[in-house]
């Protein structure tokens, strides 16, 4: 019997806009049911494994809670399972796929997640790599749409490092037709090749990038930032603090965005670096709603991948 090709979620780029819309639709429906206190055990009997090479609060717990609330269960696999250490990666993956229905993997190198997925016979979800963070970006666009009631007319200004979060956020905006601008110092911007891919995926007019945060936030309805030093870059922290000093999202910068602008951050935040307490705890901040939506969006992803729909 021929096996159906398995679908993975490794990047936002791999999703068609209508597929993102379908994930949002499922997530909205499940969130509404959850609010009414309804239980939807559509994934009863299904098992999710999680493998994390880096720390995590939001991604790990939202995926595990999502699975429980959908009637399934999850296994958080520790280092002793020996990912990439005890046996060939291909052996590890092919065996694991015989026990579980879906795998969430957080790794340093994106190439490792790609290699892992190439051996997998169940769906693999990228729970963050140095290159991308697709589940975060999908939850972010879902949150923006929920907050404003529509994505139409929104402008996202990303201030800071052109990192994994920025890359996925930009791609999600390109796919869904949302204006995206970034203020990033030279040396920390996207590779030209990635900019070409953004354009090919719908970022009409190219990527707008500036070294002036005030210019980027003009008319922006969403001001977004992330840490200057990502997990694994700790040795560069001093240099990065100097290079990004002019890129802090503070009250003065927020005042220059659209009057109805919101502040977003994927968290964890390094308060006092990329964002001030006054902004992240202030009236324009929707970071907790954003974090909360990781749970609902992960449900959309799991149901879409495992069942094809609700
Ligand atoms: N935003 C995010 O992915 O957070 P964690 O690193 O805590 O999972
Ligand atoms: N850019 C950050 C995101 C954490 C969710 C990091 O990779 O550490």
């Amino acid at each position: 019997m021929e096996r159906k090709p398995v679908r993975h979620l490794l990047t936002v780029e791999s999703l068609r806009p209508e597929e993102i819309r379908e994930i949002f639709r499922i997530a909205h429906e499940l969130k509404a049911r959850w609010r009414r206190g309804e239980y939807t055990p559509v994934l009863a009997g299904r098992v999710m494994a999680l493998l994390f090479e880096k720390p995590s609060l939001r991604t790990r717990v939202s995926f595990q809670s999502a699975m429980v609330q959908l009637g399934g269960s999850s296994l958080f696999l520790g280092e002793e399972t020996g990912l990439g250490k005890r046996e060939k990666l291909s052996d590890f993956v092919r065996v694991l796929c015989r026990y579980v229905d879906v795998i969430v993997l957080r790794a340093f190198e994106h190439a490792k997640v790609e290699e892992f997925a190439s051996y997998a016979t169940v769906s693999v979800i990228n729970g963050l790599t140095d290159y991308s963070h697709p589940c975060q970006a999908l939850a972010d666009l879902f949150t923006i749409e929920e907050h404003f009631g529509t994505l139409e007319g929104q402008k996202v200004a990303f201030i800071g490092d052109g990192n994994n979060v920025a890359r996925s956020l930009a791609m999600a905006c390109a796919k869904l037709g949302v204006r995206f601008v970034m203020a990033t110092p030279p040396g920390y911007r996207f590779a030209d090749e990635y900019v070409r891919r953004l354009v090919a995926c719908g970022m009409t007019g190219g990527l707008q990038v500036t070294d002036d945060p005030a210019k980027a936030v003009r008319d922006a309805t969403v001001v977004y930032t992330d840490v200057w030093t990502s997990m694994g870059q700790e040795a560069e922290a001093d240099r990065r603090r100097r290079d990004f000093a002019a890129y802090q999202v503070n009250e003065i910068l927020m005042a220059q965005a659209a009057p109805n602008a919101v502040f977003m951050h994927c968290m964890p935040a390094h308060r006092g670096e990329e964002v001030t307490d006054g902004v992240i705890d202030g009236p324009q901040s929707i970071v907790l709603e954003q974090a909360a939506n990781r749970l609902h969006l992960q449900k959309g992803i799991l149901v879409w991948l495992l069942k094809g729909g609700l």
Side-chain angles (χ1 to χ4, degrees):
M1 196 180 72
E2 209 173 301
R3 201 184 273 135
K4 258 181 39 194
V6 62
R7 189 77 194 261
H8 304 300
L9 202 170
L10 305 191
T11 61
V12 176
E13 192 175 355
S14 68
L15 295 168
R16 295 196 302 272
E18 59 274 23
E19 292 175 328
I20 299 176
R21 282 273 156 225
E22 177 60 7
I23 292 170
F24 284 11
R25 193 191 63 74
I26 298 168
H28 273 299
E29 173 60 26
L30 289 170
K31 184 170 181 179
R33 290 189 197 179
W34 171 86
R35 277 202 169 122
R36 295 195 296 265
E38 289 171 29
Y39 179 46
T40 308
V42 285
L43 299 184
R46 305 291 190 105
V47 180
M48 171 177 66
L50 300 104
L51 283 155
F52 281 49
E53 289 183 348
K54 308 189 197 190
S56 172
L57 170 66
R58 281 143 288 265
T59 307
R60 171 187 173 168
V61 181
S62 59
F63 262 117
Q64 291 196 272
S65 291
M67 200 59 180
V68 169
Q69 292 177 12
L70 292 169
S73 50
S74 71
L75 305 168
F76 188 79
L77 303 181
E79 256 193 78
E80 74 285 354
T81 48
L83 171 67
K85 293 196 180 110
R86 283 181 76 220
E87 56 196 315
K88 266 186 80 179
L89 185 65
S90 55
D91 289 341
F92 180 100
V93 177
R94 288 179 303 163
V95 170
L96 180 60
C97 289
R98 278 154 175 85
Y99 304 140
V100 303
D101 302 286
V102 59
I103 299 165
V104 181
L105 176 58
R106 171 170 286 196
F108 283 94
E109 287 170 38
H110 192 76
K112 183 163 184 181
V113 176
E114 285 177 332
E115 189 190 352
F116 188 106
S118 73
Y119 306 127
T121 49
V122 303
S123 291
V124 176
I125 299 170
N126 172 5
L128 179 145
T129 65
D130 288 355
Y131 176 72
S132 66
H133 197 3
C135 303
Q136 178 72 53
L138 294 176
D140 294 342
L141 271 289
F142 178 87
T143 303
I144 295 168
E145 185 169 61
E146 185 179 58
H147 179 86
F148 290 105
T150 177
L151 288 178
E152 221 177 289
Q154 308 311 330
K155 175 184 163 185
V156 176
F158 183 92
I159 313 299
D161 190 15
N163 62 13
N164 44 9
V165 167
R167 249 181 239 112
S168 295
L169 185 69
M171 186 57 80
C173 286
K175 293 264 176 179
L176 296 178
V178 175
R179 270 200 299 162
F180 179 88
V181 180
M182 66 194 296
T184 302
Y188 294 96
R189 297 179 179 174
F190 298 158
D192 292 345
E193 163 60 16
Y194 196 69
V195 175
R196 277 193 288 278
R197 303 220 318 241
L198 287 171
V199 172
C201 289
M203 192 169 274
T204 43
L207 175 72
Q208 281 188 51
V209 52
T210 169
D211 53 13
D212 181 358
K215 196 169 152 201
V217 302
R218 208 169 294 146
D219 305 326
T221 51
V222 177
V223 178
Y224 196 121
T225 191
D226 183 18
V227 292
W228 296 337
T229 302
S230 285
M231 292 180 278
Q233 298 174 332
E234 289 76 10
E236 299 170 20
D238 286 343
R239 176 165 59 81
R240 286 172 167 270
R241 244 177 246 121
R242 284 194 299 276
D243 291 348
F244 286 103
Y247 291 78
Q248 185 186 65
V249 179
N250 52 34
E251 290 84 335
I252 297 167
L253 189 68
M254 278 310 289
Q256 296 173 72
N260 63 340
V262 293
F263 171 74
M264 296 180 76
H265 190 309
C266 57
M267 299 174 96
H270 295 169
R271 288 163 175 256
E273 291 193 8
E274 77 277 2
V275 62
T276 57
D277 285 339
V279 169
I280 196 167
D281 296 328
Q284 288 168 290
S285 175
I286 59 165
V287 297
L288 297 179
E289 291 87 330
Q290 179 185 2
N293 274 335
R294 297 292 305 277
L295 172 73
H296 306 292
L297 202 282
Q298 322 292 34
K299 288 185 188 172
I301 291 172
L302 289 169
V303 171
W304 179 73
L305 277 175
L306 295 178
K307 300 224 12 135
L310 190 62

